[in-house]
Amino acid sequence: MLADIVSNLSLGLSVAASPEGLLFLVIGAFVGMIVGLFPGFGPAAGIAVLIPMTFGLTPTIAIIMLAGIYYGSMYGGTITSILINTPGESATVASTLDGYPLAQKGRAGPALVMQAIASFFGGTIGVILITALAPSLANFAASFGPSEYFLIIAVGLLMLTTMMGDNKFKGFISALIGFAIGTVGVDVMSGQQRYTFGSPELIGGVYFVAVAIGLFGIGELLHCILNGQHRQPAKRLRISFRDKEFWPTRQDYHESRFTFWRGSAIGFIAGVLPGSGATLGSIIGYSVEKKIAKDPENFGKGEMRGLVAPEAANNAASAGAMVPLLSLGIPGSGATAVLLGAFLMWGLQPGPLLIVNDPEFVWGLIASMYLGNMILIALSIFAIPLFVKFLDVPYVNVVPVIVLLCVIGAYAINASIVETWILVISGLIGFAMKKYGYSPAATVLALVLGSMAEETFLQTYIISQGTMNLFWVRPVSLVLSLILLTVVVVPLAISLSRKAKSYKANSTRKV
Amino acid sequence: MKKWFAAALLLLAIGYTAYGLSTLSLYTSSGRPAAGFFPLLIGVMLIVTCTINLWNDIRERRAEEQAGVSHTHQTDPVAEGTAEAMGIHTDALDGGPEYGRDVAITFAYLCGFVAILKLVGALPAMLIFMLIFLFTFNRPHPVSNVLYSLALPGGLYLLFKVLLNASLPTGPLGF
């Protein structure tokens, strides 16, 4: 087993550590950090907008670069959380709770260094666990039939929507919209055209890249404008790693030594579970650390452990999210859904067979994540003054860059003006979805998985001769069906019991 | 606006289902599900959920009107979930005044940009968009606006056209 891992990793390193691989890994990590810096512009948008930039590359190098953007954004998002109390990415919200108070205490330097170390620790632990778990999970998943796959997709989407607080219902609608868009084009089973309205451009379906760029890129951009980000002046900050006060003290390391492990473990589990991801992982990491601390009153006032825990967790979670993507072909978040779309665009079919059929790609990607984390810790510490300079650029100058990248990128994919208009419409829908509490991530996830969901659902229907009993006669399907029921029934029961209690309380008051 | 968006979604759901029913068959001659089966399933679920959603939004709006308070700022689900988990108000994460007019202007510029893309070519369209956008929102810096409007489209054009060999629309000027 260990020998297999070592030989697979050396195969991966031969791909990832090639001059081309390293170059695009550095570019991806660097761009990812910049993407993370700008509030409101998350990794899903960053990857979607930059997919067209990978045209001239081989699939493995392209995905290595896009994955670098994905986990690089986790590093970058914290810089603004610490320095200006504005999380660059939703997964770094928890880092503001103690990161910003640390900066206010004059400890911005140690906070930035410790977050970089925590991110590296969490990211690396996550990749080690991917190395150990992904092949085993892929082996296990090789016996899965259509019913299991359909249920995994359903569980993933439902978990994604149930993580949305009061907006579960809108999240469910968002997923259905994604499925509906996914039905446009030629039906794989019968070859019949659906919803093409006679347009030859729609025969191949609605191309997911244009929709993803629109929903995430333009949608988030318009939402940032609505919040007035373009009216805010640039933040002029100066920081130098030559200062003595820049480095953490021995006490910082000593106090956080177990926090690194706890945060990483919690984050990885949250990342592997579909739908929860880095945001929830970092919040749980923070809460657990605060709960078990002997001095919880210090949290929120500039406690280093309060920064280390969410940072280790969100980076481990972003690595953990790659496990279901690589071994099952099921993404659990918006960003990994866009990555899956990029896989498909490059002709790679993620799933149990990917590791067997394309080991160079899978192990190249995993090895690149080890290297990527090393590059990112170096960038996070020694290039902090440079990244801080990016915050000097006012958002009003960033807006046209994003618009140009989105429009030119969407057009360049297939030289299609129809797809460019799809981008514009998706942008408007994405903006409205964000504003009114729907989930663009669920839409993209459902769009990317739509054809797989339909195929596996119909296969299950046909094999079971319309009875759908495959959902409960096969052991794995039965477990998944029970999880699905739990995800639907438990929140419903809780909400009904709350309503009943408040009704009772109201009627007692009236009496 | 929230309820109008919900209403638009419901109308689209009805249109999607009706069009599917009129153009696609549900079963093959051998009784197996055909091309219209899955869309019908999705369509019916969409109609049901969108109807409930619209009803909820209308009820929420009425309750707000009766209480005399209204949520002026809707947030994204991630922010709401995060705020809920942290036990703080969502506005603490994502709040403040709104700039709806600026959104409308930006979106109009974006539509204009795409509309002239094939007409004048990629490079001039990018340049025009940049100039108009920056002179609308960043008026106090005319020189930097002009320099930025020349440099960025030029750089992007070189990147896509020359380095990536991507197909970009060509206008009467040849680029």
Side-chain angles (χ1 to χ4, degrees):
Chain A
M1 168 95 175
L2 194 68
D4 281 349
I5 290 175
V6 172
S7 90
N8 287 330
L9 273 180
S10 45
L11 169 73
L13 277 174
S14 67
V15 179
S18 65
E20 195 192 9
L22 275 177
L23 173 71
F24 284 97
L25 182 57
V26 173
I27 294 173
F30 188 80
V31 172
M33 284 198 73
I34 297 171
V35 164
L37 274 178
F38 291 107
F41 199 69
I47 300 168
V49 170
L50 294 167
I51 282 176
M53 296 270 193
T54 59
F55 282 160
L57 306 176
T58 60
T60 309
I61 301 295
I63 300 295
I64 283 176
M65 183 180 142
L66 294 175
I69 297 172
Y70 169 54
Y71 53 82
S73 65
M74 297 291 157
Y75 281 73
T78 319
I79 297 177
T80 47
S81 294
I82 293 170
L83 295 178
I84 54 172
N85 202 24
T86 309
E89 222 279 298
S90 63
T92 60
V93 170
S95 309
T96 54
L97 299 177
D98 276 287
Y100 186 61
L102 275 165
Q104 282 182 314
K105 280 182 179 175
R107 303 203 68 218
L112 288 167
V113 175
M114 285 300 279
Q115 74 85 14
I117 295 170
S119 300
F120 172 75
F121 197 90
T124 306
I125 293 283
V127 188
I128 290 170
L129 290 171
I130 293 179
T131 314
L133 291 178
S136 318
L137 190 59
N139 274 339
F140 178 58
S143 63
F144 284 7
S147 57
E148 282 88 358
Y149 271 106
F150 178 77
L151 287 167
I152 290 171
I153 295 169
V155 168
L157 276 166
L158 267 178
M159 284 184 79
L160 184 74
T161 52
T162 47
M163 297 295 161
M164 293 173 50
D166 293 338
N167 290 302
K168 291 180 192 80
F169 202 67
K170 291 190 181 339
F172 186 65
I173 293 174
S174 312
L176 287 176
I177 293 170
F179 280 135
I181 300 170
T183 57
V184 176
V186 173
D187 172 36
V188 250
M189 307 279 268
S190 64
Q192 195 180 346
Q193 283 187 33
R194 300 188 296 200
Y195 302 102
T196 56
F197 305 101
S199 160
E201 304 236 21
L202 290 175
I203 289 174
V206 176
Y207 206 49
F208 106 94
V209 180
V211 177
I213 299 178
L215 287 178
F216 290 128
I218 301 291
E220 289 196 17
L221 179 95
L222 293 176
H223 196 254
C224 286
I225 291 176
L226 184 78
N227 291 341
Q229 220 162 294
H230 63 303
R231 300 262 179 190
Q232 286 169 10
K235 310 271 188 313
R236 295 202 178 273
L237 298 160
R238 289 288 169 267
I239 199 155
S240 166
F241 60 85
R242 289 188 190 88
D243 295 343
K244 257 189 187 170
E245 293 78 26
F246 183 81
W247 301 98
T249 60
R250 195 169 287 183
Q251 195 193 349
D252 289 328
Y253 294 114
H254 185 74
E255 279 180 357
S256 312
R257 65 195 187 283
F258 299 120
T259 312
F260 287 112
W261 293 100
R262 278 192 291 268
S264 304
I266 291 167
F268 186 80
I269 295 166
V272 171
L273 293 175
S276 49
T279 306
L280 198 75
S282 62
I283 293 165
I284 298 174
Y286 181 86
S287 311
V288 168
E289 200 57 34
K290 191 177 170 182
K291 272 206 180 112
I292 61 165
K294 287 175 186 160
D295 49 353
E297 67 282 357
N298 288 346
F299 280 70
K301 295 173 188 164
E303 172 58 52
M304 195 58 88
R305 284 167 293 165
L307 173 66
V308 168
E311 276 310 295
N314 66 29
N315 283 275
S318 65
M322 298 294 273
V323 174
L325 178 66
L326 288 174
S327 48
L328 303 174
I330 311 286
S333 64
T336 44
V338 181
L339 263 182
L340 173 67
F343 278 30
L344 299 173
M345 200 183 87
W346 289 108
L348 300 157
Q349 181 63 55
L353 292 177
L354 186 65
I355 295 183
V356 181
N357 294 343
D358 217 333
E360 273 193 23
F361 166 74
V362 174
W363 291 104
L365 179 60
I366 292 174
S368 80
M369 291 175 77
Y370 282 100
L371 297 175
N373 275 297
M374 289 180 204
I375 292 165
L376 279 162
I377 191 174
L379 280 175
S380 293
I381 294 175
F382 297 107
I384 282 175
L386 175 71
F387 287 112
V388 167
K389 267 195 177 285
F390 274 104
L391 295 174
D392 286 355
V393 181
Y395 199 74
V396 70
N397 286 345
V398 177
V399 173
V401 182
I402 297 172
V403 171
L404 260 52
L405 276 173
C406 289
V407 172
I408 297 299
Y411 181 88
I413 298 165
N414 289 321
S416 160
I417 199 75
V418 173
E419 279 178 19
T420 320
W421 279 112
I422 288 175
L423 159 102
V424 175
I425 295 162
S426 308
L428 190 64
I429 294 171
F431 165 69
M433 287 178 92
K434 228 173 140 54
K435 183 166 159 59
Y436 300 128
Y438 296 79
S439 167
T443 303
V444 171
L445 204 60
L447 170 61
V448 172
L449 295 173
S451 61
M452 189 180 173
E454 180 177 2
E455 215 177 304
T456 50
F457 179 82
L458 293 180
Q459 280 170 351
T460 308
Y461 185 92
I462 291 165
I463 295 168
S464 65
Q465 292 174 327
T467 62
M468 304 308 264
N469 64 358
L470 285 183
F471 286 145
W472 56 87
V473 293
R474 288 169 65 94
V476 179
S477 293
L478 179 66
V479 173
L480 289 166
S481 296
L482 289 174
I483 295 172
L484 196 73
L485 272 177
T486 314
V487 172
V488 175
V489 172
V490 170
L492 204 71
I494 292 172
S495 137
L496 283 176
S497 105
R498 269 186 197 161
K499 271 185 189 164
K501 268 183 192 169
S502 72
Y503 179 75
K504 242 184 193 176
N506 281 344
S507 40
T508 320
R509 234 177 278 155
K510 275 178 193 168
V511 170
Chain B
M1 282 301 278
K2 191 181 182 183
K3 64 179 177 189
W4 292 117
F5 184 65
L9 284 181
L10 176 60
L11 277 178
L12 282 173
I14 294 169
Y16 172 84
T17 313
Y19 187 77
L21 274 173
S22 63
T23 56
L24 302 167
S25 43
L26 290 179
Y27 290 96
T28 61
S29 51
S30 56
R32 288 186 163 190
F37 188 81
F38 193 69
L40 179 71
L41 218 65
I42 299 293
V44 169
M45 281 200 279
L46 263 173
I47 291 175
V48 173
T49 51
C50 286
T51 308
I52 300 170
N53 184 43
L54 177 63
W55 171 243
N56 284 344
D57 284 352
I58 292 172
R59 225 175 38 173
E60 192 182 297
R61 180 79 190 147
R62 274 192 197 151
E64 280 171 9
E65 278 170 1
Q66 277 171 1
V69 283
S70 68
H71 293 294
T72 52
H73 194 84
Q74 294 294 328
T75 56
D76 64 307
V78 172
E80 286 198 349
T82 311
E84 195 179 276
M86 286 180 180
I88 54 173
H89 195 271
T90 322
D91 283 356
L93 298 176
D94 183 15
E98 289 188 344
Y99 294 87
R101 192 175 153 269
D102 291 358
V103 173
I105 292 171
T106 309
F107 188 71
Y109 289 172
L110 170 66
C111 291
F113 175 30
V114 177
I116 62 166
L117 195 62
K118 281 197 107 169
L119 219 64
V120 299
L123 188 59
M126 284 194 271
L127 196 106
I128 294 166
F129 171 78
M130 289 280 293
L131 282 171
I132 294 177
F133 181 86
L134 288 174
F135 276 97
T136 307
F137 293 109
N138 196 28
R139 265 186 216 164
H141 307 99
V143 179
S144 70
N145 285 350
V146 172
L147 289 175
Y148 192 42
S149 301
L150 288 171
L152 185 74
L156 276 179
Y157 189 81
L158 278 178
L159 176 71
F160 275 96
K161 193 79 183 174
V162 181
L163 286 175
L164 299 173
N165 201 20
S167 173
L168 294 182
T170 310
L173 298 171
F175 42 76

